[in-house]
Amino acid sequence: MHAHEDSERPGPGEEYNPGEPARARQAATVILLRGGADALEVLLVKRTPHARFMGGVWVFPGGAVDAEEGDGDEAHRAAAIRELREEAGIALDDPDALVKFSRWITPAEVQIRFDTHFFLAPVPHGQEPRIDGEECVDLGWFTPSAALDAYGGGEIALVFPTIKHLEQLSDFSSVEELLAHARGRDLQPIQPKVVLEGETARILLPGDPGY
């Protein structure tokens, strides 16, 4: 199935599923921040092009919750810390240092589904991210607008949830401003819908016309 070559087309692993919805796996993602009171940059890592799911795509570090991590908020925080260590070489000691930012549930119409909790975390003092070269092959600090510009120019590949988060993050001028905003808000889960128009799949968010 071919869709428009733009930010609304399904990415690798986001193929349309017309049947019974797949169960969404619990997952956690960390938007690692640097810039303090003066700036806002986020860390993106590039998944290996050989990966079956989202190969070659630039993402925030994250992944599925493991069974032994339990369930609920503690499990999401444990998974977030583990994935940040595995994918970016950053050690966060305190699960409470993670600030909840959003919760995204993959559309029911997509084959591989996740219920992902996104957390914000300033990079710990003195630590520099590094990649393993296997699961992740590159990394970069980007201002949200610079990441979107690089995507628009075809320099990096992004998928829909990352694009939408970068758009939200570009409203903030510093890490401190973003964290103050995130700490005070009520989180509502977001589950986009996929709408088929002929051969084209469009992704709609709550509040979009036709959702």
Side-chain angles (χ1 to χ4, degrees), residues 165-186:
H165 278 84
L166 288 167
E167 288 173 357
Q168 285 181 37
L169 295 166
S170 63
D171 291 340
F172 299 92
S173 59
S174 72
V175 172
E176 286 187 5
E177 182 193 355
L178 170 61
L179 290 172
H181 164 81
R183 286 192 178 103
R185 58 195 275 231
D186 180 34

Side-chain angles (χ1 to χ4, degrees), residues 73-91:
D73 185 59
E74 283 181 25
H76 287 102
R77 290 174 186 269
I81 287 173
R82 174 178 51 76
E83 290 288 343
L84 190 60
R85 187 176 64 246
E86 290 174 3
E87 294 193 351
I90 294 289

Side-chain angles (χ1 to χ4, degrees), residues 3-207:
H4 287 314
E5 293 292 310
D6 61 20
S7 67
E8 294 183 343
R9 72 189 166 92
E14 297 182 330
E15 284 78 15
Y16 187 71
N17 167 31
E20 191 68 23
R23 191 174 66 84
R25 286 189 68 190
Q26 295 299 310
T29 290
V30 183
I31 302 173
L32 195 68
L33 309 167
R34 77 173 186 189
D38 306 312
L40 174 65
E41 290 184 309
V42 299
L43 181 74
L44 292 173
V45 295
K46 182 182 182 181
R47 289 176 52 78
T48 173
H50 307 302
R52 187 177 62 84
F53 182 65
M54 303 241 195
V57 172
W58 290 74
V59 295
F60 302 115
V65 175
D66 284 348
E68 65 269 16
E69 285 166 331
D71 51 31
D73 185 59
E74 283 181 25
H76 287 102
R77 290 174 186 269
I81 287 173
R82 174 178 51 76
E83 290 288 343
L84 190 60
R85 187 176 64 246
E86 290 174 3
E87 294 193 351
I90 294 289
L92 268 189
D93 299 326
D94 180 10
D96 295 328
L98 295 163
V99 177
K100 271 190 177 175
F101 183 64
S102 64
R103 179 182 170 195
W104 273 64
I105 303 169
T106 310
E109 302 85 358
V110 172
Q111 283 177 8
I112 300 175
R113 302 186 64 220
F114 292 98
D115 178 348
T116 306
H117 293 238
F118 284 76
F119 295 96
L120 304 171
V123 62
H125 186 69
Q127 293 194 43
E128 280 292 330
R130 59 183 190 278
I131 39 147
D132 61 11
E134 293 178 14
E135 190 175 351
C136 298
V137 294
D138 200 359
L139 62 77
W141 287 103
F142 296 83
T143 65
S145 56
L148 291 166
D149 289 345
Y151 167 72
E155 297 161 48
I156 64 175
L158 298 174
V159 290
F160 188 77
T162 313
I163 294 163
K164 290 298 167 189
H165 278 84
L166 288 167
E167 288 173 357
Q168 285 181 37
L169 295 166
S170 63
D171 291 340
F172 299 92
S173 59
S174 72
V175 172
E176 286 187 5
E177 182 193 355
L178 170 61
L179 290 172
H181 164 81
R183 286 192 178 103
R185 58 195 275 231
D186 180 34
L187 265 192
Q188 297 297 326
I190 294 170
Q191 181 168 334
K193 284 184 178 173
V194 175
V195 178
L196 280 186
E197 296 174 350
E199 284 291 289
T200 302
R202 285 183 57 232
I203 305 174
L204 300 179
L205 291 172

